[in-house]
Amino acid sequence: MRVADVSRVKQDGVEVDVLVSPRSNRSGLEGFDEWRKRAILRVKSPPLDGRANKEVESYFREITRCKSKVTSGSTSHQKTVTITGDPGAIMDALEEAVNERCRQIG
């Protein structure tokens, strides 16, 4: 799978479907859930008081340098994150993050 399979380009940004795994020992993209068609994102924060959602938003803001917000699934493991900015630059940054993770895995 690729980032394009789990995201939708909008006029003012990109929506990304993610499956969040809270309380992980590290944060970052883990790969793709082909069954659910979502990117797997591990976060250290627990799903309490919106802490995991804030970490998800922070993660996408860090890798894309654009504003990000959980726009769907705030109380679920399955979320949609909307990233506002240049869609081409956002998709490039997301692809680079996935490629970096693949290089780390080996």
Side-chain angles (χ1 to χ4, degrees), residues 58-72:
S58 176
Y59 175 78
F60 282 106
R61 186 172 34 256
E62 183 180 314
I63 64 171
T64 64
R65 305 283 187 238
C66 295
K67 180 181 176 188
S68 66
K69 180 149 181 67
V70 173
T71 53
S72 178

Side-chain angles (χ1 to χ4, degrees), residues 4-55:
D5 298 328
V6 298
S7 62
R8 290 168 299 288
V9 174
K10 300 291 185 177
Q11 189 173 17
D12 60 344
V14 175
E15 289 181 342
V16 182
D17 295 324
V18 295
L19 180 64
V20 177
S21 180
R23 291 191 173 120
S24 294
N25 59 352
R26 63 174 185 79
S27 296
L29 285 173
E30 189 64 27
F32 297 99
D33 184 325
E34 294 188 23
W35 180 264
R36 292 183 179 101
K37 296 199 186 300
R38 292 182 177 271
I40 300 169
L41 179 63
R42 298 193 182 280
V43 295
K44 291 181 180 179
S45 300
L48 302 171
D49 303 323
R51 287 187 265 176
N53 288 337
K54 289 177 185 167
E55 188 174 341

Side-chain angles (χ1 to χ4, degrees), residues 68-105:
S68 66
K69 180 149 181 67
V70 173
T71 53
S72 178
S74 62
T75 60
S76 171
H77 289 280
Q78 297 184 45
K79 302 179 186 304
T80 299
V81 179
T82 301
I83 307 167
T84 306
D86 175 37
I90 292 169
M91 292 298 286
D92 289 344
L94 293 172
E95 287 287 349
E96 179 58 33
V98 169
N99 291 338
E100 178 63 30
R101 178 64 185 139
C102 290
R103 283 191 291 272
Q104 290 174 355
I105 292 174

